[in-house]
Amino acid sequence: MNHPQPVVLGELPSLSKLYVNAATAAARRRVLGASSGKKRLPAVSHEVRGVRADVENLTAYQHLVGETASDTLPAGYVHALAFPVSMSVMNREDFPLPLLGMIHLKNRIEQLVPIQFSEELDIRSWAENLAGHRAGTQLDVVAEVRSASSGDLLWRGVSTYLAKGVFLPGIDKPGSSNGATGAGDFVPPNPTALWQLNLDTGRSYAAVSGDFNPIHLSVLSAKALGLRGSIAHGMYLASRALADVGAVKSDSFAWDVTFEAPVFLPARVALDIATVQAEAGTWERSDYVAWNPRSGRRHFAGSVVSLA
């Protein structure tokens, strides 16, 4: 596969600075008009080399999402490590879509081998697959994490985002089937877990992930961006579901999640995990779904599947 031309950054970008830049760009768009005039994704990737996990930060993350204390990096933690690099791509001046207000539709992560916390990592990210969506314009943001010493691919993530209400010229708007989830057919099963999420859940995850997107931090900051209240980070919810799948999963797995309805804080979230074993009795996959126990509305669903 041919990657876009790399731009090597000297260090991991500051997410707080990226959000400030995004807010400035959003204000400029309001003055100059909604469209940036750009129709193509930047033909470059951003890369940061020699990244190492911080032990205290790793421990705080494991405690927050319910992962067992370990020297191995959880797949969701690796996503958080790579996220600033991905954000820096979406914060470029030649990026055609507004960063603030971007909606996370789905995520696919392939954890190819266990990653030790002491390992130096090279992180690379780029954007691809710009396409029309019935509600706006969507794209994929790819992140790859490799061993700094061997160059071997250890982890790969593809995050699909939607710029709601933004329709770029020349990009066709598909039929209503694009993005349809069939949520109306969902019948809640008996939950295997019930989460109680406090109002400060977004701030707690921001403290360990660095993702201080205003929609997660407070009612006031979320309302400023058009929401009725703050919502939980999608990757916090997915990472907590992955932690609930537990150590039964293999060392090499694919982890998928599709986000459907936001979780407004504070909240109670019901979760069901169904595990499938192979004929030999080994773990094969776990499917999970989470919903609002009061309304029955599905929040997200996904699977963890062995790649072994």
Side-chain angles (χ1 to χ4, degrees), residues 44 123 137 164 184 188 194 203 205 242 296:
V44 298
I123 301 173
T137 303
K164 189 173 182 180
L194 190 62
R203 293 190 293 273
Y205 183 73
L242 182 68

Side-chain angles (χ1 to χ4, degrees), residues 13-22 87 210-213:
S14 163
L15 282 173
S16 58
K17 290 181 180 178
L18 291 175
Y19 279 122
V20 170
N21 291 343
M87 280 278 291
D211 184 2
F212 287 92
N213 188 327

Side-chain angles (χ1 to χ4, degrees), residues 77-135:
Y77 184 82
V78 182
H79 171 88
L81 272 183
F83 188 63
V85 186
S86 297
M87 280 278 291
S88 71
V89 174
M90 293 191 284
N91 201 54
R92 290 174 57 92
E93 288 191 4
D94 56 352
F95 191 75
L97 300 170
L99 174 57
L100 283 189
M102 199 79 76
I103 298 171
H104 197 174
L105 295 180
K106 59 184 178 179
N107 218 76
R108 177 177 175 83
I109 286 172
E110 294 180 356
Q111 179 79 56
L112 302 178
V113 294
I115 303 175
Q116 298 301 307
F117 81 90
S118 58
E119 186 160 6
E120 282 198 350
L121 306 171
D122 293 342
I123 301 173
R124 190 175 188 179
S125 184
W126 66 93
E128 62 184 28
N129 298 333
L130 190 68
H133 184 283
R134 58 190 171 83

Side-chain angles (χ1 to χ4, degrees), residues 114-198:
I115 303 175
Q116 298 301 307
F117 81 90
S118 58
E119 186 160 6
E120 282 198 350
L121 306 171
D122 293 342
I123 301 173
R124 190 175 188 179
S125 184
W126 66 93
E128 62 184 28
N129 298 333
L130 190 68
H133 184 283
R134 58 190 171 83
T137 303
Q138 72 175 48
L139 77 156
D140 292 336
V141 179
V142 183
E144 290 185 348
V145 176
R146 296 179 179 271
S147 166
S149 58
S150 69
D152 293 340
L153 181 63
L154 310 175
W155 180 102
R156 188 177 195 271
V158 180
S159 300
T160 302
Y161 295 101
L162 168 68
K164 189 173 182 180
V166 180
F167 298 93
L168 297 182
I171 296 180
D172 292 336
K173 178 181 175 181
S176 60
S177 61
N178 187 4
T181 61
D185 300 329
F186 175 64
V187 177
N190 292 323
T192 55
L194 190 62
W195 302 340
Q196 183 67 50
L197 307 184
N198 298 323

Side-chain angles (χ1 to χ4, degrees), residues 193-265:
L194 190 62
W195 302 340
Q196 183 67 50
L197 307 184
N198 298 323
L199 190 59
D200 63 354
T201 296
R203 293 190 293 273
S204 297
Y205 183 73
V208 300
S209 69
D211 184 2
F212 287 92
N213 188 327
I215 64 175
H216 304 301
L217 303 184
S218 72
V219 173
L220 289 177
S221 60
K223 283 186 174 180
L225 290 172
L227 297 176
R228 61 178 172 84
S230 60
I231 63 175
H233 293 75
M235 287 309 295
Y236 162 77
L237 299 168
S239 297
R240 189 161 173 178
L242 182 68
D244 280 11
V245 169
V248 65
K249 61 185 180 293
S250 60
D251 288 340
S252 175
F253 58 86
W255 170 31
D256 289 276
V257 60
T258 299
F259 302 105
E260 298 181 18
V263 174
F264 286 93
L265 300 170

